[in-house]
Amino acid sequence: MSTFVKETFPVLEMTCAACAVSVESMLRSVAGVQQVGVNFANKTALVEYDPQQVTPQVLQKTVRSIGYDLVIDPQNSAAIAEEAELKHYQALRRRTIWSILLSIPVVVIGMFFMNMPFANYIMLVLSAPVVFYFGRPFFINAFKQARHQKANMDTLVALSTGIAWLFSAFNTFFMDFWHQRGVHAHVYFEAAAVVIAFVSLGKWLEEKARSNTSSAIKKLVGLQPNTVWLVNRDGSITETPVTQVQVNDVLLVKPGEKIPVDGKVTDGESYVDESMITGEPLAVLKKSGEAVFAGTINQKGSFRFRAEKVAGDTLLARIIRMVQEAQGSKAPVQRLVDRIAGIFVPVVISISLLTFISWMVWGGDNAFTHALLTSVTVLVIACPCALGLATPTAIMVGVGKGAEHNILIKDAESLEQAHKVNAILLDKTGTITEGKPVVTDLIWVKELPDVLYALESRSEHPLAEAIAAHLPASEIPLQSFESITGQGVTGRYNNELYMAGSKKLLDAHQVVIDPALAARAGQLQENAKTVIYFANSKQVLAMVAIADQVKPGSQKAIAILQQRGIEVYMLTGDNAHTAAAVARQVGITHYKAEVLPSQKAEFAKELQQQGKMVAMVGDGINDSQALAQADVSIAMGKGSDIAMDVAKMTLITSDLNSVPRALQLSRKTVQAIRQNLFWAFIYNLIGIPVAAGILYPLNGFLLNPMIAGAAMALSSVSVVANSLRLKMTKL
């Protein structure tokens, strides 16, 4: 059976949204390719393919056949793409500046000094390099597209500027051809030059804006140091590139340095700032045996640790990969936009031809001049770029904004759908609560902490571990020790029997609980706390209350969700008594206790059948079925790897307040997409008829191709600028 792999490849030489459609359709046609998503905004192709049928080299050859390129070097793809992008950006900036400098005198002559001697010849000489040298990429790309019966934005620019310049050159050299027919020979050198200048300027501004949208990835990549201190077998220390680190290597981390890979501390201790992973501001003490993660920052101490996950396996690398895949994925609305962009250029060319024919038939005097002018203007003003950029730029900024707030979004679909959520299912343990038992109350009748520690430190029960962790460590010898399943532990010290466990254990040894203590135990149990008794053979010496505490922000997060009209349900495998107490504490009215993993998924399905958009928030393997079933799945980052793999969003913090933030981010992103699409569609719906001359019969207005070029460039820039507004949004 074939196993499909999913890889992201940088795509070079794409200049517009229709380019992305062309690359996508070519890759989709390759045998062995299962799924393709080409994103013009971040210039990547996310390809799912069967490595037994097709190789990256074949994919690269296919893309190169239509004039683009695919970076397939897995080690250096980012560096190669970045270098190519930098060269492209510098060349684009150079072309734009020269185009503008040469276009200015052409515009000045065309507007104000048309009657000066040799005006047409001066404009011809100045505009020729703008159109055919600085504008040559438009013509080259248009030709490559035409060879494969495809058309894109470059086709429109090449056709419009090429026809306008050649028509103007003909009018310059053969002026009498028109004069003999009683028509003034107009020239449009300034229009051809300015269209190239404006389109180049628009692309330059797009490139600058697009580089801002991917800053989240750059910040994440920057968290990993380039070199590490490797501890050799002889004890010597050498500085080594991080790429050469292997599993089981021992590394030294000095004060203030970033931890290079994932591993476990072997020697020394220090506080580590893990806020990039957990979102928690307080540094965490790392001692021998504790896990450390790439990208986190060591504080004042130094320590050695053994590398366990290196290169692409580290938690940081996984986070980067998730963000990249999300930024490269397509929202459902984007698929519709891509289909529109794919047919947009042929439709525009058809409208341009229809405009030309209409003017030739009904144009009266100067019919040919007006026919040519309007058909060229239609080609110039039409802009699939604004449409193509509308969704991906907003998605990219939204995903980046999420990453800044510890919300990792795996795909665009979940980001687009999350704002529709009206029912949210929360796992209890580890999601609403901390997920680990801690001592909340310790009531002494007679203080003997050394004996209680000696008993509980020998027990393997999780509750015993919580009690031992709460008490000061001490080593006193027990004469005997016994663990009784389901009841607790007993031991002898100084020839006296001591016990720690449940009421069953006390009953078995005929130990009577004082009524006041029993009443206090009942109150603690009402608050979902487990009570452990410490006693000798005569009386209860202490009572310990243990609970999985509710996280500090859970109540506030649930209240915010409920205020927004979202139904909140708590699902737990815990008993009904504990579930009721936790639900009461955080203000949840709908909850289900003693729920099996499959029942969580079934409950999500029930709500979906009622027409609800369901989100599931969980952190454990037992939540993975429900996460897969839900419309929007959110994993808590401190949870299991399986939960994180299944979920479409991961919160790399333990704070539940990130859930309403994620839903708010979705709402703001979708809002930006809708605004972008509205303006892109309105622009084309109004611009193309005006360019075709629809206003001419009413008021004699014909749109100058030069103004059309400026408007087209502005539409793309306005869409990107609107998306970038998301960066300023408060969540």
Side-chain angles (χ1 to χ4, degrees), residues 40 55 66 68 148 157 230 317 342 387 422 524 593 628 636 638:
F40 170 54
T55 62
I66 54 166
Y68 308 105
H148 289 84
V157 175
L230 179 68
L387 280 175
N422 52 18
L524 292 168
M636 304 299 280
K638 286 188 173 179

Side-chain angles (χ1 to χ4, degrees), residues 261-583:
V261 295
D262 294 359
K264 277 197 179 144
V265 176
T266 57
D267 185 31
E269 63 179 55
S270 176
Y271 280 90
V272 174
D273 177 0
E274 291 189 330
S275 57
M276 61 78 58
I277 289 175
T278 63
E280 308 297 337
L282 294 176
V284 181
L285 179 62
K286 297 291 179 181
K287 298 182 287 190
S288 182
E290 299 263 345
V292 289
F293 302 98
T296 55
I297 302 165
N298 182 29
Q299 302 284 285
K300 293 179 181 175
S302 67
F303 60 87
R304 296 182 182 193
F305 74 99
R306 190 175 301 281
E308 290 187 340
K309 289 183 179 177
V310 300
D313 295 330
T314 66
L315 179 63
L316 178 62
R318 280 177 62 194
I319 289 169
I320 292 169
R321 221 165 25 245
M322 282 166 69
V323 174
Q324 282 175 327
E325 285 190 11
Q327 288 193 333
S329 66
K330 289 189 180 181
V333 69
Q334 177 63 14
R335 297 187 194 114
L336 171 66
V337 172
D338 282 347
R339 284 201 294 274
I340 294 168
I343 61 168
F344 185 85
V345 176
V347 166
V348 169
I349 292 170
S350 303
I351 292 170
S352 177
L353 288 170
L354 188 63
T355 301
F356 185 86
I357 293 163
S358 301
W359 274 98
M360 288 300 291
V361 174
W362 294 293
D365 295 338
N366 300 332
F368 181 74
T369 303
H370 286 161
L372 190 69
L373 176 71
T374 51
S375 56
V376 165
T377 309
V378 166
L379 292 173
V380 170
I381 203 165
C383 183
C385 287
L387 280 175
L389 287 168
T391 305
T393 50
I395 292 290
M396 282 178 71
V397 177
V399 167
K401 182 81 177 171
E404 285 172 22
H405 285 80
N406 299 312
I407 303 161
L408 293 181
I409 297 153
K410 273 192 187 176
D411 67 6
E413 188 167 354
S414 60
L415 183 58
E416 192 192 331
Q417 287 194 333
H419 79 287
K420 301 176 191 170
V421 166
N422 52 18
I424 194 158
L425 314 182
L426 302 175
D427 170 53
K428 178 182 76 72
T429 310
T431 302
I432 295 174
T433 65
E434 295 286 2
K436 58 181 181 182
V438 290
V439 172
T440 59
D441 303 83
L442 178 52
I443 302 153
W444 290 104
V445 175
K446 182 182 178 185
E447 287 199 36
L448 287 170
D450 290 356
V451 180
L452 180 55
Y453 179 84
L455 284 171
E456 297 294 35
S457 62
R458 284 166 173 75
S459 171
E460 292 180 359
H461 196 281
L463 297 184
E465 284 179 30
I467 296 169
H470 184 77
L471 295 167
S474 64
E475 292 297 328
I476 61 167
L478 293 179
Q479 291 157 323
S480 67
F481 175 81
E482 185 186 3
S483 177
I484 303 160
T485 305
Q487 292 185 21
V489 293
T490 62
R492 283 191 177 274
Y493 175 65
N494 283 345
N495 295 319
E496 187 168 352
L497 180 70
Y498 291 93
M499 63 196 79
S502 65
K503 188 173 179 296
K504 274 186 190 176
L505 185 64
L506 300 190
D507 291 344
H509 288 83
Q510 285 90 45
V511 178
V512 178
I513 304 168
D514 181 85
L517 268 182
R520 184 70 198 277
Q523 288 171 359
L524 292 168
Q525 286 166 335
E526 275 298 312
N527 290 316
K529 296 179 181 182
T530 303
V531 175
I532 301 293
Y533 298 96
F534 171 51
N536 59 18
S537 54
K538 303 182 188 72
Q539 68 176 107
V540 174
L541 304 172
M543 192 166 67
V544 188
I546 299 172
D548 178 10
Q549 284 188 300
V550 170
K551 291 176 187 174
S554 293
Q555 190 174 357
K556 183 186 170 189
I558 288 160
I560 291 169
L561 292 168
Q562 289 169 337
Q563 281 163 18
R564 291 182 187 171
I566 297 169
E567 292 175 10
V568 182
Y569 299 84
M570 184 182 79
L571 305 179
T572 178
D574 217 333
N575 62 68
H577 185 70
T578 303
V582 172

Side-chain angles (χ1 to χ4, degrees), residues 191 218 240 379 641 685-686:
K218 288 174 185 168
T240 309
L379 292 173
D641 285 354
L685 283 171
I686 295 171

